[in-house]
Structures are given as C-alpha cells and as structure tokens.
Amino acid sequence: MNAGLKRKVVPMIEKQRARLLEILKKKAVLYGDFVLASGKTSSYYIDGRLVTLEPEGAYLTARLILDVLKDDSVDAVGGPTMGADPIVGATIAASYLAGRPLLGFIVRKAEKTHGTQKRIEGPLREGLRVAILEDVITSGNSVLEAIQEVERAGAKIVRVIPVVDRLKGARELLTSKGYAYTPLFTRRDLGIGEDNS
C-alpha cells in the first residue's frame, strides 16, 4: 500500500468511547448550584440519565460496559435504583445480542412494603457472579450499601463499573474493600475541574 494512503485504524470500541464521551459532555454536565445526595453543594451536576435514557447513549454505555467485562466471568449486572436502572436494561439487551446473555437486577434503597417486599428486584440468586453498575458515583457509599445487599443474597461481586466517577473517594472506598473498580470516565475526562463537593 502506498505510504500516502495509509490511515490509522481506530478500533470500533475506541470510536464508541469517544462518541459516548462527546454525548456526556454535551448532554449530562450541568453547571449551577446543586445539592448532592450527600448534602454537600457542588458547582456542577452530572445527570447520567439524560444520556442513558436516550437510544444512542444507552447503547454506547452498554457496549463499553460489555467491553470492560469481556474477560470477566460474570452472570449478571445490576446496581442501585435509579441511576443503574436504564444501564442494566441496556446492558442485558446488548449482552443478548452479543451472544453472551447476562441477567439483570436492581437494588432498592429500602424493602417494598407491599407485594414480595423484596429489596432486590430481578433473578439474582446465590452463587451468581455479578458486576455492579451505576451512572455517576461520588463517595461510593450508596453503591457500597447496594453491594452489601447483593452479597447478603449470596452473590459474588466481580467488578464495579460507574459511567462517571466524580473523583470524590469512591475508588478509594471500594478498592479498600477489595472490589475491582473500573469507571468508564472520570469528571476530568468530561473537562470538569475540582470543586467544593
């Protein structure tokens, strides 16, 4: 091949990663004065559902998660409601299309007071190897609470995958407990600097 005609071949997954990052920057990052779940204030807010509840964002998120999990032996994916809800749905659908079907589950903040009164919805059962998903993670406390509930159900946590890590202690907390931790992006990838949150 003529040297002048050679082009750098970018793997599809890298193109998909770049596209998801572009969408997150454009649609999910909001600036202003926000109160976070922790009670702290922040000059920015990352609303992951503005991306994971639209078709392209949901698909790309699922593809990147499946790529992270390609070498892991995983039976199911799930996470805390409601940030994980659309991600879990997209990922299990994409896993079926990819020929590697995964089960899905959602962890409620508290047990239902009606019906089955379960805290975990879906076919999670003892012995399953699972990945915990989340849209945006800050301190990691709510994800750790969901993890503990999943472990009480007898499942084994293989990996924790947030779409965006705000870099406020989640990695340190979760890795100190022995969990493999792989965020798709951090706030720095989104071009967000430090703030007071």
Side-chain angles (χ1 to χ4, degrees):
M1 177 184 276
N2 185 315
L5 296 177
K6 287 185 180 176
R7 289 182 294 167
K8 183 178 177 183
V9 177
V10 179
M12 180 58 73
I13 198 69
E14 289 307 315
K15 290 179 182 178
Q16 291 171 332
R17 178 180 169 76
R19 176 60 181 152
L20 181 57
L21 180 58
E22 178 186 344
I23 295 169
L24 284 164
K25 287 179 179 179
K26 182 178 178 182
K27 297 183 177 181
V29 181
L30 309 172
Y31 293 96
D33 295 314
F34 301 96
V35 178
L36 305 176
S38 65
K40 293 183 178 181
T41 60
S42 176
S43 59
Y44 70 94
Y45 183 73
I46 303 169
D47 190 342
R49 288 171 300 274
L50 293 177
V51 173
T52 61
L53 283 169
E54 65 95 22
E56 186 181 13
Y59 170 75
L60 292 172
T61 299
R63 281 287 297 117
L64 292 179
I65 287 168
L66 291 176
D67 185 64
V68 169
L69 294 174
K70 69 181 179 291
D71 296 324
D72 293 337
S73 174
V74 176
D75 305 303
V77 294
T81 197
M82 98 173 324
D85 295 5
I87 303 169
V88 170
T91 302
I92 63 175
S95 74
Y96 178 81
L97 292 173
R100 185 187 171 196
L102 299 172
L103 300 172
F105 63 92
I106 299 296
V107 183
R108 293 176 177 274
K109 292 182 181 9
E111 286 181 358
K112 289 194 303 185
T113 57
H114 61 283
T116 58
Q117 301 181 340
K118 295 187 294 188
R119 182 139 181 226
I120 299 175
E121 296 292 346
L124 184 70
R125 60 185 182 276
E126 187 173 351
L128 291 184
R129 295 171 53 83
V130 307
I132 299 294
L133 311 180
E134 178 65 297
D135 62 349
V136 180
I137 194 167
T138 303
S139 68
N141 288 322
S142 62
V143 168
L144 182 58
E145 185 179 327
I147 285 171
Q148 291 167 341
E149 194 65 28
V150 170
E151 289 178 330
R152 278 192 283 276
K156 161 101 173 120
I157 310 301
V158 173
R159 189 171 301 279
V160 179
I161 308 173
V163 177
V164 180
D165 183 346
R166 288 176 53 101
L167 301 175
K168 297 294 182 177
R171 175 183 295 279
E172 293 77 8
L173 174 67
L174 296 170
T175 57
S176 75
K177 304 286 185 186
Y179 301 112
Y181 181 76
T182 311
L184 299 183
F185 303 101
T186 71
R187 67 168 162 77
R188 289 190 190 113
D189 295 321
L190 273 63
I192 301 170
E194 189 67 50
D195 77 343
N196 62 343
S197 62

